[in-house]
Amino acid sequence: MSSSLVLVAYSLVYAVPSGTPAQKAYNHRLKMTRTHLITAGILWLFLLAADLANAQTTIGASVVLDPQDVTVIVGERQQFLAKVRGMLSQDVRLNFSKDHTDLVQIVPSSVLISPADGGFIDRAYEIDLIGLSPGQFDLEASVLPTGLIDDAAAFIRVTVANSQPIILISSVIGWIYFAAWTVSFWPQMIVNYRRQSVVGLSFDFLTLNLVGHSVYAAFNCALYWSGYIEQEYLDRNPRGLNPVLTNDVAFSIHATIATLLTVAQCFIYERGEQKVSRIAWGIITIFVIVVIVAGILVGTETFHWLDFLYVLSYIKLSVTLIKYVPQAVLNFRRKSTVGWSIENVLLDFTGGMLSMLQMLLNGYNYDDWASIFGDPTKFGLGLFSVLFDILFIVQHYILYRNRADAKTLQEDSSTTTTTASNGGSKDTLCILGLLLIASTASQSSEVLLRLQFGPQDTTVIVGETVDVTLRLHGPLSVRATVNFTQTNVTNGLEYVRLTPATIEYEPPVSNFIDRSERVSMRGLRAGIFDLLAHLSPASALVDQSQAFVRVTVAKSWSLITISSVIGWMYFLAWTWSFWPQIWENRTRASVVGLSFDYLALNLFGHIMYAAFNCALFWNGSVQEEYLRRNPRGLIPVLANDVAFSLHATFATGLIIVQCFFYERGQQKVSYTARALLIVFACFVVISGILVASGRYGWLDFFYNLSFLKLAVTLVKYIPQAVLNYRRKSTVGWSIGNVLLDFTGGFFSIVQMLVNGYNYDDWDSIFGDGAKFGLGFFSVLFDVLFIVQHYILYRF
């Protein structure tokens, strides 16, 4: 208001006409008026600063325990921090709960917190946990006297384990059964394709399976992508974490697509008299009615959307209980398993057994048997699915092992069933795992006026609109305005149109604001940029570290879906590309024809890659260093990167073990390869010395490991190509490995081109010649190996 008056007065002064007779008097008045206005402006700024300073002094302190997830091994020590920040008027004591003294020893068990000069404190206290016996619990801290410090985030989730190796083994087992369940859908489609028939595959099973996977995918996608539903879940579980992970979404979508493809085969290939039975249609009708009723309850606000999703998950569980029955009955009536893929069953059985093994390992490692036997539904449903797999194995290998296709199907409603067990135990354990929610979300202390976006990653299609939320939380005593900036804008062409373009905030009576505004973005042109929010008037008391959102403007959702499918295809191709070579070595009982130089370089490269991925994925200090250098970045390593690199290291190591057992002739690692490895090793040692001397950070060390991986990729194929040339033969070098690697490399390049077009982001491909060039370089070597195998040395 005062600034408006100043501007009005200023304009009135300058509105005085300049007459020649009164020029001196007018100039004197003008000078005096300017002086008074400047003085008034300075006084107004002092008042504003006083208000802001007063706003800070009214804020209490808060305490946060960091990190809020801690794993400690029995007999070992693990440290966490108690971070206290804010205004504090007297000494207080932070006491830790003594409810679980049989599991951990807390050193110290309480902390005296004293304010610094001026009453403001910003300090971190180191607390040690010593593991005594395995278990899982929430460690809480309380402050005495109460009311002086906000202790809402004074808790950590503590897991005490018997053994670190068991944790790693459990993680590896988890990825193995995830891969087994994922691949288990495809053998049935291959069987159908080869036979050009779906006779023997229960249509009832297929239909129920499709319903189950569809509702499972809906549950996962909604809880993973819908910010509204995720917030509803967190409101009910204040210390919870979203139970749906990326691999859950990927698996459920893949399962739905794979089942749909199998259903599509039923319309193309011979199917005899099979059809979906009336019993199956009745069950599906019941499920549809339940979904409709749940939707109506949501519409009448009797149900929330989260309750609706839980209904879908219960339908999925119900389907898992009954879907195998029609296939088992069909096999019994036909006295044959022809048309029903046993490989599908074996993969599902492998996944189910490993998943239960993982549960037992975790039960022992964390002394958490109650999560298994205390909830018989979860373990029982997994065992139920495995028992059906055993029944199918008995039917295939014992009861009907010599029965062919001779026995035709009778047209019977109960004999009309469909496909193979595409994921019994996996579905059960995944869904029930989602329903067993027992963790806690971290909450940050509110000391400053904080401006933040949510979510901080979003995708919008050109011509469509998406909403994000901008929240202002903290002390506010003056009127404030938020303006927006789009980065990477060229020639004034913005990527999105924002509504509203600015946001005004009026200070509430209490001088403390907690207000969220919806900001709509309409896509104008494809591109990738950061949308930044700026609060004015600017102040050091405003935290804008999260006032940004990474926006991807795409031309088409279809291209995004295609890119995602291509990504999973080349991930699977690369993952399985190691095993044809292992199988060929075993079949020949020989490794003659396989270059030992290639193997040694490949093992070194994958070890470097695994170390880089594991450090960035699991090491908190390395992650913090990365985020300090990239304030608006995301950790570039995902779980599938870690899984792939560990799997690649293991598979390459397994091939090397074969070299010690099978015939190898006169082959050995050449002096050239040894020299290269020594150079690489020296590079690693020097990097380690630089880290120890403080000249390097650990992030730089791991970057150097990634550079070594790139260097290995450039040279590792040369020894194998030279060996093939000298022998004039590719015998001993698996062409299956080459074809899978070529498929993965080709699809990765296709994905890059699709994304380049969809996001108009060609600089990420051609602007970074190393990335595109290395992928293209590997594909060219695969082409060379294919030419050697099928043309040059085919005879």
Side-chain angles (χ1 to χ4, degrees):
M1 184 66 182
S2 57
S3 61
S4 301
L5 293 174
V6 169
L7 292 174
V8 171
Y10 197 83
S11 62
L12 289 175
V13 169
Y14 275 94
V16 177
S18 54
T20 303
Q23 188 67 43
K24 291 184 178 181
Y26 171 76
N27 289 340
H28 177 72
R29 288 196 306 272
L30 180 59
K31 184 181 297 184
M32 293 299 295
T33 303
R34 287 178 176 173
T35 303
H36 293 319
L37 289 175
I38 292 173
T39 303
I42 293 173
L43 289 174
W44 180 77
L45 290 175
F46 273 117
L47 290 174
L48 175 62
D51 287 342
L52 290 175
N54 182 62
Q56 181 184 14
T57 58
T58 60
I59 304 172
S62 61
V63 58
V64 176
L65 303 187
D66 181 45
Q68 292 196 300
D69 287 278
V70 174
T71 299
V72 58
I73 307 301
V74 171
E76 297 183 6
R77 184 185 296 263
Q78 184 67 40
Q79 189 178 86
F80 68 94
L81 300 176
K83 298 180 179 179
V84 183
R85 179 178 170 86
M87 298 301 301
L88 188 62
S89 58
Q90 66 181 69
D91 291 352
V92 297
R93 183 166 291 276
L94 182 69
N95 299 310
F96 294 97
S97 170
K98 299 181 179 180
D99 294 339
H100 301 282
T101 54
D102 57 326
L103 300 181
V104 295
Q105 178 184 351
I106 307 170
V107 181
S109 59
S110 66
V111 176
L112 179 64
I113 302 173
S114 301
D117 295 338
F120 188 83
I121 185 172
D122 186 4
R123 185 176 174 185
Y125 299 86
E126 296 180 353
I127 314 296
D128 288 332
L129 292 176
I130 303 174
L132 301 178
S133 60
Q136 294 176 311
F137 65 97
D138 284 356
L139 174 62
E140 299 179 348
S142 58
V143 178
L144 291 177
T146 60
L148 296 177
I149 290 184
D150 178 12
D151 58 359
F155 70 92
I156 58 172
R157 295 175 288 271
V158 181
T159 300
V160 187
N162 278 313
S163 170
Q164 181 67 33
I166 294 180
I167 295 176
L168 296 177
I169 292 171
S170 174
S171 178
V172 171
I173 288 175
W175 279 103
I176 292 175
Y177 72 69
F178 173 80
W181 280 338
T182 301
V183 177
S184 69
F185 295 88
W186 297 93
Q188 184 64 55
M189 284 186 276
I190 294 173
V191 167
N192 297 342
Y193 171 77
R194 287 177 176 173
R195 298 174 64 238
Q196 297 291 295
S197 171
V198 291
V199 173
L201 178 59
S202 168
F203 286 12
D204 288 358
F205 167 81
L206 269 184
T207 308
L208 292 170
N209 211 25
L210 180 60
V211 171
H213 288 309
S214 298
V215 295
Y216 182 36
F219 175 91
N220 285 334
C221 293
L223 204 52
Y224 185 78
W225 274 311
S226 173
Y228 175 82
I229 294 175
E230 184 179 25
Q231 187 58 49
E232 186 176 341
Y233 173 82
L234 295 176
D235 290 341
R236 297 190 189 184
N237 304 272
R239 294 186 179 179
L241 295 174
N242 191 331
V244 177
L245 303 178
T246 304
N247 58 334
D248 299 317
V249 177
F251 172 79
S252 58
I253 293 176
H254 169 266
T256 304
I257 294 173
T259 308
L260 274 172
L261 289 175
T262 310
V263 171
Q265 288 180 318
C266 297
F267 291 93
I268 300 172
Y269 301 146
E270 178 190 2
R271 59 181 180 271
E273 300 297 323
Q274 292 182 126
K275 60 182 180 180
V276 180
S277 70
R278 294 179 181 178
I279 295 175
W281 280 123
I283 293 173
I284 293 171
T285 301
I286 292 173
F287 289 154
V288 171
I289 293 173
V290 169
V291 172
I292 293 174
V293 171
I296 293 174
L297 291 175
V298 171
T300 59
E301 297 184 355
T302 305
F303 257 22
H304 296 285
W305 278 111
L306 186 60
D307 301 311
F308 177 82
L309 294 179
Y310 282 151
V311 170
L312 298 187
S313 70
Y314 300 145
I315 291 176
K316 169 61 178 170
L317 293 179
S318 303
V319 168
T320 303
L321 278 173
I322 61 176
K323 69 179 182 179
Y324 297 102
V325 176
Q327 185 64 54
V329 172
L330 179 62
N331 293 346
F332 169 76
R333 290 183 172 174
R334 297 175 68 239
K335 298 298 186 289
S336 172
T337 58
V338 173
W340 171 240
S341 170
I342 191 61
E343 293 81 7
N344 168 35
V345 175
L346 294 175
L347 285 168
D348 187 63
F349 175 78
T350 300
M353 289 298 295
L354 289 177
S355 69
M356 287 192 292
L357 174 61
Q358 184 189 55
M359 293 168 64
L360 295 174
L361 282 176
N362 290 344
Y364 163 76
N365 203 28
Y366 308 130
D367 194 21
D368 188 25
W369 302 105
S371 66
I372 304 174
F373 303 109
D375 183 7
T377 305
K378 178 181 178 181
F379 190 82
L381 279 175
L383 183 62
F384 181 83
S385 297
V386 169
L387 290 177
F388 260 108
D389 290 329
I390 293 174
L391 171 61
F392 291 130
I393 292 171
V394 170
Q395 285 183 326
H396 183 83
Y397 289 108
I398 300 175
L399 299 180
Y400 315 132
R401 61 180 302 178
N402 296 319
R403 305 300 177 96
D405 251 336
K407 193 171 183 68
T408 58
L409 285 172
Q410 303 292 329
E411 185 175 356
D412 189 329
S413 62
S414 60
T415 66
T416 57
T417 26
T418 53
T419 77
S421 164
N422 277 354
S425 52
K426 64 173 175 279
D427 309 328
T428 304
L429 298 181
C430 287
I431 284 289
L432 286 173
L434 297 179
L435 298 180
L436 294 176
I437 300 151
S439 57
T440 316
S442 62
Q443 302 175 10
S444 58
S445 57
E446 299 292 346
V447 175
L448 305 175
L449 178 61
R450 176 167 295 172
L451 184 68
Q452 62 187 121
F453 267 117
Q456 290 191 298
D457 285 280
T458 190
T459 299
V460 59
I461 305 301
V462 173
E464 297 184 7
T465 302
V466 69
D467 294 336
V468 292
T469 301
L470 184 67
R471 182 190 183 198
L472 187 64
H473 181 90
L476 182 69
S477 57
V478 297
R479 186 179 183 182
T481 303
V482 172
N483 299 297
F484 302 100
T485 302
Q486 300 178 35
T487 62
N488 303 329
V489 173
T490 57
N491 301 324
L493 298 177
E494 295 185 331
Y495 294 99
V496 295
R497 180 185 299 117
L498 298 175
T499 306
T502 60
I503 300 177
E504 302 285 343
Y505 292 96
E506 295 289 345
V509 177
S510 63
N511 285 342
F512 191 91
I513 190 171
D514 187 0
R515 177 177 158 193
S516 296
E517 293 286 345
R518 180 173 296 177
V519 179
S520 297
M521 295 184 291
R522 182 173 180 81
L524 300 178
R525 67 184 183 96
I528 301 174
F529 70 99
D530 286 346
L531 177 64
L532 310 179
H534 309 279
L535 187 70
S536 60
S539 170
L541 299 178
V542 180
D543 178 9
Q544 301 187 78
S545 61
Q546 294 182 328
F548 69 94
V549 55
R550 288 173 289 270
V551 183
T552 301
V553 186
K555 296 178 180 178
S556 167
W557 275 117
S558 300
L559 291 177
I560 294 176
T561 304
I562 291 171
S563 174
S564 178
V565 171
I566 290 174
W568 279 101
M569 289 173 67
Y570 73 69
F571 172 78
L572 291 174
W574 277 337
T575 300
W576 288 103
S577 67
F578 297 89
W579 295 96
Q581 186 64 58
I582 297 174
W583 183 257
E584 180 157 334
N585 295 343
R586 178 184 179 277
T587 303
R588 298 172 63 238
S590 171
V591 290
V592 174
L594 178 60
S595 170
F596 284 14
D597 290 358
Y598 164 79
L599 277 182
L601 291 169
N602 209 26
L603 179 63
F604 183 85
H606 287 310
I607 291 174
M608 296 298 99
Y609 187 45
F612 172 80
N613 285 334
C614 291
L616 263 176
F617 188 75
W618 276 311
N619 190 289
S621 62
V622 177
Q623 289 181 340
E624 289 177 5
E625 189 175 351
Y626 177 84
L627 294 175
R628 277 198 303 272
R629 298 187 189 184
N630 304 272
R632 295 199 295 268
L634 292 174
I635 299 299
V637 176
L638 303 179
N640 59 334
D641 298 314
V642 177
F644 173 79
S645 57
L646 291 176
H647 169 267
T649 304
F650 168 77
T652 308
L654 186 58
I655 297 175
I656 290 177
V657 170
Q658 290 180 316
C659 295
F660 289 94
F661 290 96
Y662 297 148
E663 179 191 0
R664 58 180 181 272
Q666 300 299 317
Q667 294 182 127
K668 60 181 180 180
V669 180
S670 70
Y671 289 112
T672 303
R674 294 179 188 181
L676 276 175
L677 291 173
I678 290 173
V679 171
F680 292 156
C682 290
F683 188 70
V684 174
V685 172
I686 293 172
S687 298
I689 294 173
L690 291 174
V691 172
S693 64
R695 296 176 181 272
Y696 254 22
W698 276 110
L699 184 61
D700 301 304
F701 175 81
F702 289 111
Y703 275 152
N704 285 348
L705 299 190
S706 70
F707 299 149
L708 289 177
K709 165 62 178 172
L710 294 179
V712 167
T713 303
L714 280 172
V715 301
K716 69 178 182 179
Y717 295 107
I718 298 175
Q720 186 64 56
V722 171
L723 180 63
N724 294 345
Y725 169 74
R726 288 177 175 173
R727 297 174 67 239
K728 298 298 186 288
S729 172
T730 58
V731 174
W733 172 239
S734 171
I735 192 62
N737 165 31
V738 174
L739 294 176
L740 284 170
D741 188 64
F742 174 79
T743 302
F746 176 77
F747 276 132
S748 70
I749 293 175
V750 170
Q751 185 191 52
M752 293 168 66
L753 295 174
V754 170
N755 290 344
Y757 168 76
N758 199 27
Y759 307 133
D760 196 18
D761 187 28
W762 301 106
D763 287 343
S764 66
I765 303 175
F766 304 111
D768 182 3
K771 178 180 178 182
F772 188 81
L774 278 176
F776 191 65
F777 183 80
S778 298
V779 169
L780 287 180
F781 260 107
D782 290 327
V783 172
L784 172 61
F785 290 132
I786 292 171
V787 171
Q788 286 182 327
H789 182 83
Y790 288 109
I791 300 176
L792 298 180
Y793 314 132
R794 62 179 302 182
F795 302 111

